[in-house]
Amino acid sequence: MTAKMLSYIERDSPIHRLTGATKLLCFFMWSGAAMLTYDTRVLAFFFLASVAVFKISKVRVAEISFILIFILVFLALNDIAIYLFSPQEGVKIYGTKHVLFPLPGHYDVTLEQLFYQLNITMKYLTVLPAALLFIVTTHPSEFAASLNRIGVSYRIAFSVALALRYIPDIQRDFRTIAHAQQARGIDLSRKEKLPKRVKNALAILFPLIFTSLDRIETITNAMALRGFGKKKRRTWYSARPFARRDYIALGVMGLIFVLSLLITFHDKTRFYNPFS
Amino acid sequence: MAKPVIEFNHFGFKYRSQAQPTLYDINLTIYEGEKVVIVGPSGSGKSTLAHCLNGLIPFSYKGEVTGSLKILGQEAKDKGIYALSKMVGTVVQDPDAQFVGITVGEDIAFALENDGLPQSEMVARVEEASRAVEMEQHLLASVHQLSGGQKQRTALAGVMVDHVRILLFDEPLANLDPAAGKRAMALIDRIQKEMKATVVIIEHRLEDVLHAHVDRIVVMNDGRIVAEGAPDQVLASSALEENGIREPLYVKALKYAGCEVTPAMRPARLDAMEMNPVRERLYRWYEAIDSPAEKPKAPPVLELKDIRFGYAPGREVIHGVSFSIGKGEMVSLVGKNGAGKSTLTKLICGFEKPDSGEIVVDGRDMTAATIKERALKIGLVMQNPNHMISKQMLFDEVALGLVARGFSDQEIEERVEKTLKICGLWPFRHWPIAALSFGQKKRATIASVLALEPEILILDEPTAGQDFRHYTEIMEFLTELNRRGITILMITHDMHLMLEYTPRAIVMADGRVIADESAVRVLADPDVMRRANLRTTSLFELAVRAGIGDPVEFVRRFIAYDKEARGHDRKDVVVY
Amino acid sequence: MQGEKLSIKTIVAIGIGAAVFVILGRFVSLPTGVPNTTIETSYAFLALMAVLFGPVAGALIGLIGHALKDLIMYGSPWWSWVIVSALVGLFIGLSSNKIKIDEGEFGVKKIVLFNIVQVVAQAVGWFLIAPTLDILIYAEPANKVYLQGLVAGIANMITVGVIGTLLLFGYAKTRSKSGSLEKE
Ligand SMILES: Nc1ncnc2c1ncn2[C@@H]1O[C@H](COP(=O)(O)OP(=O)(O)OP(=O)(O)O)[C@@H](O)[C@H]1O
Ligand SMILES: Nc1ncnc2c1ncn2[C@@H]1O[C@H](COP(=O)(O)OP(=O)(O)OP(=O)(O)O)[C@@H](O)[C@H]1O
Ligand SMILES: [Mg+2]
Ligand SMILES: [Mg+2]
């Protein structure tokens, strides 16, 4: 049950040296652009850029391969699903129909469809690295400070910090509880029938929830006793000051963002259409 | 006369949800620079008193306050919790709850962050505070890499950065190994001198608290202050015993021996205590009791053979552990925080798989067996009952395992009833578990495991944070089970518990077994003690100071006598 | 509980709630047998927390919990669905001061109310908003995302309806006043 989870990877790289706030903003602009655009040229650019940035970050592929594999499988399935559900989506979007080789039903393989699915796949691929890099290159204790820096109320920012702080503890609780219940003969494996497994799941949910509610109470008190929420604003011990590199990064990213939107929408449509 | 910093005046408090007040007519004045220890049975209102001092009452616990409480001359109820938190720094019992930061530095800085201090200033103050508790090397360490002791130091630093005048501790020693506990007390002592702070400590382990200097002991019971005075006075009096608080063992011994304990003897510090008046009598008493016989060795029921294990590859935490436990034995597993005791229990129950080695139960190799299979023979009671309780009603909880194993309703009925009766929980069988006290919850979890009738029972710190009555209750109950032939292995940090109830002890340090022999001999071996962060009980010191040749023997006889004595008055204790 | 600024308790509830949401989402999702639809116990938990701590907490637990879960597990949040989790938490939370679970009884009337609210909330969320966002953001084929939304929505409704109700029921039981208790 020690599931691999994505977490901070200690390195000394230009990306690591950027402040969390910068990375967070870049992440938002990046995924924003990648979400809006459907322009193949832009997507291609983003894709290559993200590979480059990834290189700079000195994070090894091996360290995140478990996620990558997962994503690729997901994308493959998604593409299949799209084709099954709507094999002519591309035709609808691009308005032309070049059949490569005909198939029964409306399952003709068309250039447009392939092109459309290439785009959607690239789209998901380009969103990925930004978020991924943000997680693995930002120390969790800087996370909250960053949120607060970009305008999120410090109370909410801090609850994010709390979540990150207590995920490992709660995972440990969870395992302990699961073990305790298994020892009493409650089977959590896939063997049982669904209703039985729901009951068994409850045997874990209840202890987990009640320990968590206790936690909420004690932590609330501990925080109150140390003056949390006293002032309108709050400073952060592990926040890092903006440096020149941060402004540069933001500038570049902003530029890319605007450009990508211009290129995408100058022809009043999100889609780049090579067929007309 | 120093000036008063805390003044309770005919103070009382009633929780909104309670019918009766929890605190009655409290009158207590604590002066600047004093160190006061508050003791009392569980539920007597100690923590409630603390909540009143630090403002959690009325901030998060509503209720009716009567009388007056002045802190640094100001009426507490006119002050918000924030104003109070500037005067009173609280270290709560559970270090994981207090530790809200991800790294040590961040957590120490927490109070300053809330004050909106500029970062540069914060760094300096954190530096200073961390040095005071010797954590300056670990500022970047994440909470998950720290030992219990280190977490507590961090917590202490976290309140010190605020330059508070009053330090308030609610059970600072629970879950610390004996040596770590002693260090904690020494640290508190030093901090107090440096900060010229006033210190209030709530603790069940009075004997451990008294290792450092204490100005006053306040005894609470049923929401009232029943006794108060310099340690020498209180120890000499019968206040502790009358209120069901464990006296320091050496005092107990003196009283058993019929010596008159007077304040003049300065009984508060064993090392400074006047021995001449008692030496003679103590010796005669010792001579009078006859030494208890040792149990014969039984055939092994649980064997570990060269077990090795690490949670993460390359970071082994169990380095080749081997031992064997005989049928019907009752054995203690003791040692440092982080030595690997809990990990070992997980391996025995199959929660984790050893990297190498063998686990044999009843002569059968169980190394490959599933959790379920092992559970038929081995029952584990975890340290935190809330990790086990998954039903709302006591009966259902105890029945859970049986239901899962598919017993007939009537079979279940019988077994549950039997177990509940054994565990003294019969009267509560239709109660929601939420309504039970901690001690009762603990027994409920023991019951739920017992219902499955395991041959071996493993308990992780069964008495942590329990007061003397519940402690006795649980332990006597376990001894009874042991008499019924159940083999018991228990993890504990309480040296006297080990001596009192388990003839044999297995000592671990840093993932290795460093001793496995009679409990008394373990405590007689200074080298083992040092390596495993253990500490002799004061009985040894007493014996030595009394010039008794064989301290080990002295301890054994004391325990025999003590069991005898307690055995009698236990008869009329009803188990709630 | 919720004033213009959140109480500490709400903040902590959001933090811990989000953490538990992540853990449940990671470990306690039971496959139903229907291909790639699972019983997400995390939504039953979300419902409980929303009822206990109100709409703001509900919304933020959904938002933060789901976003973190995606980030940690898939490396990138699937925004369209993250937003829906937040909305579901919010709507269910609106029923909290009607249900008043802390008063210790969770009778038929409240159970019905709770389930009406959760079904409506999730219908809107999973059947309408999620697919629509998928189309707007990712230009996925309509019929595909609507079917996905439908399946996920129904699965979650049943999950919250069964497990969520049981959780609330169980929680209410623990609130029963000990004054009413007699030793036998
Ligand atoms: N939040 C609360 N609401 C209602 N009653 C409470 C609350 N907290 C404590 N009590 C009651 O007040 C009494 C005193 O509790 P308190 O925690 O002060 O005891 P204590 O002396 O600290 O015990 P222990 O040594 O076990 O910590 C108990 O009977 C308990 O049931
Ligand atoms: N789930 C876990 N994952 C990783 N490391 C762990 C885990 N549990 C314990 N450890 C580490 O293994 C070592 C042994 O821990 P363990 O809890 O067995 O010690 P212990 O003897 O029970 O200590 P204590 O007396 O404080 O309970 C410690 O260094 C601890 O940090
Ligand atoms: Mg207490
Ligand atoms: Mg342990």
Side-chain angles (χ1 to χ4, degrees):
Chain A
M1 247 182 290
T2 38
K4 287 201 86 174
M5 287 194 180
L6 220 48
S7 63
Y8 178 63
I9 299 177
E10 184 75 60
R11 283 282 184 302
D12 180 31
S13 81
I15 309 294
H16 283 76
R17 269 178 250 127
L18 292 173
T19 69
T22 309
K23 277 177 277 191
L24 196 58
L25 285 171
C26 291
F27 160 50
F28 282 134
M29 283 193 266
W30 187 285
S31 36
M35 279 180 193
L36 290 169
T37 185
Y38 241 101
D39 190 307
T40 319
R41 298 158 303 185
V42 177
L43 286 174
F45 167 79
F46 270 103
F47 183 66
L48 296 177
S50 59
V51 174
V53 177
F54 191 85
K55 273 265 158 289
I56 300 171
S57 76
K58 294 189 188 162
V59 176
R60 276 181 248 94
V61 176
E63 293 169 305
I64 53 160
S65 49
F66 64 101
I67 292 277
L68 289 181
I69 292 161
F70 185 94
I71 298 284
L72 293 179
V73 172
F74 166 80
L75 285 181
L77 291 174
N78 197 53
D79 274 323
I80 294 166
I82 291 178
Y83 193 80
L84 291 178
F85 276 98
S86 170
Q88 304 308 331
E89 191 73 14
V91 176
K92 231 187 291 156
I93 293 172
Y94 299 111
T96 54
K97 181 165 183 175
H98 303 70
V99 178
L100 290 178
F101 46 88
L103 285 174
H106 47 45
Y107 280 101
D108 302 341
V109 179
T110 63
L111 224 81
E112 287 78 5
Q113 182 68 9
L114 293 185
F115 188 66
Y116 158 70
Q117 295 205 240
L118 169 74
N119 280 300
I120 204 166
T121 313
M122 260 164 63
K123 198 171 160 74
Y124 290 130
L125 280 177
T126 50
V127 186
L128 181 65
L132 213 145
L133 274 175
F134 175 65
I135 280 286
V136 299
T137 65
T138 310
H139 191 285
S141 59
E142 205 198 332
F143 197 112
S146 319
L147 283 171
N148 189 208
R149 173 80 61 89
I150 67 168
V152 178
S153 121
Y154 80 78
R155 292 157 178 279
I156 294 174
F158 196 81
S159 57
V160 177
L162 277 176
L164 291 169
R165 153 76 177 85
Y166 282 98
I167 282 175
D169 292 39
I170 289 175
Q171 184 173 354
R172 216 176 260 206
D173 277 2
F174 171 79
R175 302 190 69 210
T176 320
I177 291 165
H179 288 144
Q181 303 306 3
Q182 271 166 286
R184 295 161 76 183
I186 288 170
D187 190 347
L188 304 163
S189 69
R190 302 253 179 283
K191 287 201 293 290
E192 301 279 1
K193 294 200 183 28
L194 190 58
K196 191 101 193 329
R197 292 192 38 209
V198 170
K199 274 187 72 206
N200 295 347
L202 283 173
I204 292 186
L205 281 178
F206 273 116
L208 187 63
I209 288 170
F210 289 124
T211 40
S212 304
L213 290 176
D214 287 352
R215 263 228 167 86
I216 291 174
E217 169 129 8
T218 34
I219 295 173
T220 305
N221 290 344
M223 279 169 61
L225 286 173
R226 294 167 73 185
F228 183 86
K230 174 172 20 181
K231 293 237 168 76
K232 286 231 168 337
R233 56 177 280 284
R234 178 180 199 279
T235 49
W236 305 83
Y237 175 77
S238 39
R240 285 191 286 136
F242 267 57
R244 226 171 94 250
R245 69 174 85 87
D246 292 292
Y247 295 107
I248 296 170
L250 282 172
V252 174
M253 188 61 229
L255 203 64
I256 294 175
F257 183 68
V258 175
L259 281 177
S260 67
L261 294 193
L262 287 179
I263 296 170
T264 307
F265 289 105
H266 73 289
D267 53 7
K268 311 276 176 302
T269 154
R270 307 165 66 189
F271 298 93
Y272 164 66
N273 189 340
F275 301 102
S276 54
Chain B
M1 197 61 179
K3 78 177 204 299
V5 290
I6 299 173
E7 299 162 274
F8 285 96
N9 234 311
H10 299 290
F11 184 89
F13 177 77
K14 181 174 97 52
Y15 285 101
R16 187 180 282 165
S17 62
Q18 296 274 336
Q20 295 302 318
T22 294
L23 297 176
Y24 301 89
D25 192 38
I26 301 287
N27 292 296
L28 176 65
T29 308
I30 296 174
Y31 298 94
E32 187 160 35
E34 251 193 322
K35 186 198 262 173
V36 176
V37 176
I38 301 178
V39 294
S42 187
S44 57
K46 305 184 295 297
S47 296
T48 306
L49 197 71
H51 295 337
C52 298
L53 282 175
N54 60 29
L56 281 180
I57 290 173
F59 176 81
S60 66
Y61 304 110
K62 306 286 174 239
E64 294 153 30
V65 176
T66 56
S68 109
L69 163 58
K70 283 209 180 68
I71 293 174
L72 299 173
Q74 295 150 312
E75 193 57 47
K77 56 169 118 49
D78 313 340
K79 297 250 148 221
I81 186 165
Y82 294 141
L84 283 174
S85 74
K86 284 280 160 213
M87 314 176 194
V88 184
T90 313
V91 178
V92 300
Q93 178 179 336
D94 170 7
D96 278 307
Q98 175 126 16
F99 205 126
V100 289
I102 291 176
T103 64
V104 170
E106 203 183 349
D107 186 69
I108 297 177
F110 187 74
L112 306 177
E113 293 180 321
N114 297 328
D115 276 337
L117 241 68
Q119 211 173 18
S120 52
E121 200 172 329
M122 260 196 275
V123 174
R125 297 262 298 263
V126 169
E127 186 63 34
E128 172 202 351
S130 63
R131 234 181 283 106
V133 296
E134 291 150 18
M135 285 293 290
E136 73 271 24
Q137 299 305 329
H138 307 280
L139 283 180
L140 291 177
S142 103
V143 52
H144 307 289
Q145 306 161 345
L146 300 181
S147 76
Q150 290 173 315
K151 280 180 193 163
Q152 220 151 19
R153 289 165 173 274
T154 312
L156 180 53
V159 296
M160 282 169 51
V161 281
D162 238 352
H163 299 313
V164 291
R165 306 277 303 283
I166 302 166
L167 287 171
L168 176 60
F169 299 84
D170 196 344
E171 304 196 25
L173 302 183
N175 300 328
L176 286 191
D177 65 45
K182 186 172 185 178
R183 254 182 274 115
M185 287 314 301
L187 178 64
I188 293 174
D189 216 42
R190 209 188 74 230
I191 298 296
Q192 174 179 31
K193 292 198 178 68
E194 286 170 10
M195 293 171 64
K196 306 206 173 19
T198 310
V199 172
V200 179
I201 301 176
I202 296 170
E203 185 52 66
H204 286 298
R205 286 159 65 176
L206 178 60
E207 180 160 352
D208 296 342
V209 176
L210 288 177
H211 270 278
H213 169 77
V214 167
D215 296 298
R216 224 176 344 155
I217 297 178
V218 174
V219 183
M220 289 189 71
N221 202 351
D222 297 330
R224 290 189 167 77
I225 291 179
V226 289
E228 173 197 350
D232 291 334
Q233 257 95 28
V234 175
L235 290 179
S237 77
S238 59
L240 295 175
E241 195 180 5
E242 283 164 5
N243 294 286
I245 298 153
R246 156 176 287 180
E247 295 173 286
L249 292 162
Y250 61 95
V251 176
K252 194 89 191 152
L254 291 174
K255 289 183 177 174
Y256 278 153
C259 311
E260 185 200 2
V261 182
T262 62
M265 287 163 52
R266 283 181 281 109
R269 302 294 298 273
L270 177 52
D271 49 10
M273 186 170 73
E274 181 58 59
M275 288 300 289
N276 299 332
V278 296
R279 198 173 270 112
E280 178 60 26
R281 236 206 161 84
L282 200 60
Y283 196 78
R284 262 189 274 110
W285 175 72
Y286 163 69
E287 288 295 314
I289 332 164
D290 42 15
S291 149
E294 289 206 26
K295 263 194 180 173
K297 202 100 181 70
V301 61
L302 171 66
E303 290 174 276
L304 272 61
K305 296 180 184 166
D306 191 33
I307 297 290
R308 296 182 169 278
F309 172 76
Y311 285 96
R315 269 198 271 99
E316 202 178 65
V317 291
I318 303 291
H319 315 287
V321 165
S322 308
F323 60 73
S324 141
I325 293 176
K327 201 158 193 49
E329 263 196 290
M330 189 155 169
V331 181
S332 285
L333 182 56
V334 298
K336 265 197 190 131
N337 290 111
K341 304 182 293 297
S342 301
T343 304
L344 213 50
T345 62
K346 291 187 207 160
L347 288 162
I348 294 172
C349 298
F351 300 166
E352 306 286 353
K353 296 261 165 283
D355 303 335
S356 74
E358 227 180 280
I359 296 172
V360 180
V361 178
D362 269 346
R364 207 179 121 233
D365 183 348
M366 279 267 186
T367 319
T370 65
I371 294 178
K372 224 169 158 181
E373 288 160 354
R374 301 181 197 220
L376 294 173
K377 295 196 168 295
I378 307 167
L380 171 65
V381 179
M382 306 205 155
Q383 182 171 350
N384 178 353
N386 298 330
H387 279 156
M388 300 183 70
I389 294 167
S390 61
K391 293 279 181 213
Q392 287 71 53
M393 290 304 172
L394 183 53
F395 189 98
D396 307 347
E397 177 63 24
V398 178
L400 181 66
L402 297 168
V403 177
R405 278 177 171 62
F407 283 92
S408 73
D409 290 2
Q410 160 241 9
E411 171 98 1
I412 291 173
E413 192 76 34
E414 285 166 10
R415 278 222 209 173
V416 173
E417 282 191 11
K418 185 160 128 274
T419 327
L420 284 177
K421 286 197 175 115
I422 299 175
C423 304
L425 292 169
W426 181 242
F428 312 97
R429 62 189 172 286
H430 298 307
W431 282 32
I433 291 179
L436 299 177
S437 81
F438 186 87
Q440 290 167 331
K441 272 193 192 161
K442 190 88 188 178
R443 267 184 289 138
T445 56
I446 298 177
S448 64
V449 171
L450 275 181
L452 304 171
E453 299 182 350
E455 292 171 28
I456 307 165
L457 192 60
I458 302 178
L459 301 103
D460 201 337
E461 305 191 17
T463 59
Q466 304 264 354
D467 70 6
F468 193 38
R469 204 185 94 235
H470 295 96
Y471 165 100
T472 317
E473 225 170 271
I474 292 177
M475 288 319 298
E476 290 302 334
F477 165 60
L478 289 177
T479 337
E480 176 53 32
L481 291 175
N482 182 241
R483 278 197 211 93
R484 292 162 188 250
I486 296 179
T487 311
I488 294 180
L489 172 65
M490 68 182 175
I491 297 176
T492 181
H493 285 307
D494 181 333
M495 291 301 101
H496 189 67
L497 177 147
M498 167 179 98
L499 286 169
E500 197 174 3
Y501 292 96
T502 65
R504 175 179 158 207
I506 297 170
V507 186
M508 286 190 71
D510 310 323
R512 289 191 179 73
V513 170
I514 61 169
D516 178 356
E517 56 186 335
S518 121
V520 256
R521 281 196 204 86
V522 165
L523 287 198
D525 180 339
D527 176 51
V528 170
M529 302 291 283
R530 189 178 39 70
R531 283 163 64 201
N533 263 7
L534 306 179
R535 229 180 50 228
T536 51
T537 67
S538 54
L539 290 171
F540 278 76
E541 214 177 329
L542 179 67
V544 174
R545 294 211 57 215
I548 291 169
D550 181 354
V552 173
E553 185 53 27
F554 177 79
V555 175
R556 297 181 63 218
R557 293 189 189 182
F558 170 88
I559 290 164
Y561 187 95
D562 183 50
K563 274 238 182 73
E564 197 43 34
R566 292 235 307 278
H568 292 314
D569 50 7
R570 206 178 73 249
K571 299 279 169 293
D572 50 55
V573 173
V574 249
V575 181
Y576 285 111
Chain C
M1 191 109 224
Q2 310 89 26
E4 58 294 330
K5 70 179 165 58
L6 300 167
S7 75
I8 301 180
K9 186 149 198 159
T10 318
I11 292 163
V12 178
I14 294 166
I16 300 299
V20 175
F21 188 95
V22 171
I23 295 301
L24 290 180
R26 180 68 190 78
F27 296 111
V28 200
S29 52
L30 319 168
T32 51
V34 185
N36 64 41
T37 47
T38 53
I39 292 188
E40 293 291 341
T41 53
S42 43
Y43 284 96
F45 171 74
L46 175 60
L48 173 75
M49 293 300 276
V51 172
L52 284 181
F53 296 97
V56 179
L60 287 168
I61 292 174
L63 180 76
I64 298 170
H66 196 155
L68 280 181
K69 182 186 123 211
D70 283 0
L71 270 174
I72 297 174
M73 285 171 59
Y74 315 136
S76 161
W78 190 287
W79 290 113
S80 48
W81 290 45
V82 169
I83 291 165
V84 173
S85 293
L87 290 177
V88 169
L90 176 73
F91 287 133
I92 297 180
L94 291 174
S95 70
S96 68
N97 44 19
K98 282 265 169 305
I99 293 179
K100 294 209 187 59
I101 194 75
D102 274 308
E103 287 172 0
E105 49 87 32
F106 189 58
V108 180
K109 276 183 51 225
K110 290 185 175 184
I111 292 179
V112 174
L113 172 68
F114 167 72
N115 279 288
I116 292 172
V117 174
Q118 70 97 350
V119 168
V120 174
Q122 299 211 76
V124 176
W126 301 115
F127 298 166
L128 299 176
I129 302 174
T132 313
L133 287 172
D134 274 341
I135 294 169
L136 289 179
I137 299 177
Y138 304 103
E140 291 241 352
N143 55 355
K144 167 174 176 283
V145 287
Y146 277 107
L147 185 80
Q148 281 179 329
L150 197 69
V151 177
I154 292 171
N156 284 340
M157 285 178 190
I158 298 171
T159 309
V160 176
V162 177
I163 300 181
T165 309
L166 285 170
L167 288 182
L168 281 162
F169 193 73
Y171 177 83
K173 267 207 211 150
T174 64
R175 299 274 102 189
S176 69
K177 296 274 158 289
S178 41
S180 64
L181 299 166
E182 284 299 336
K183 292 211 219 72
E184 299 163 44

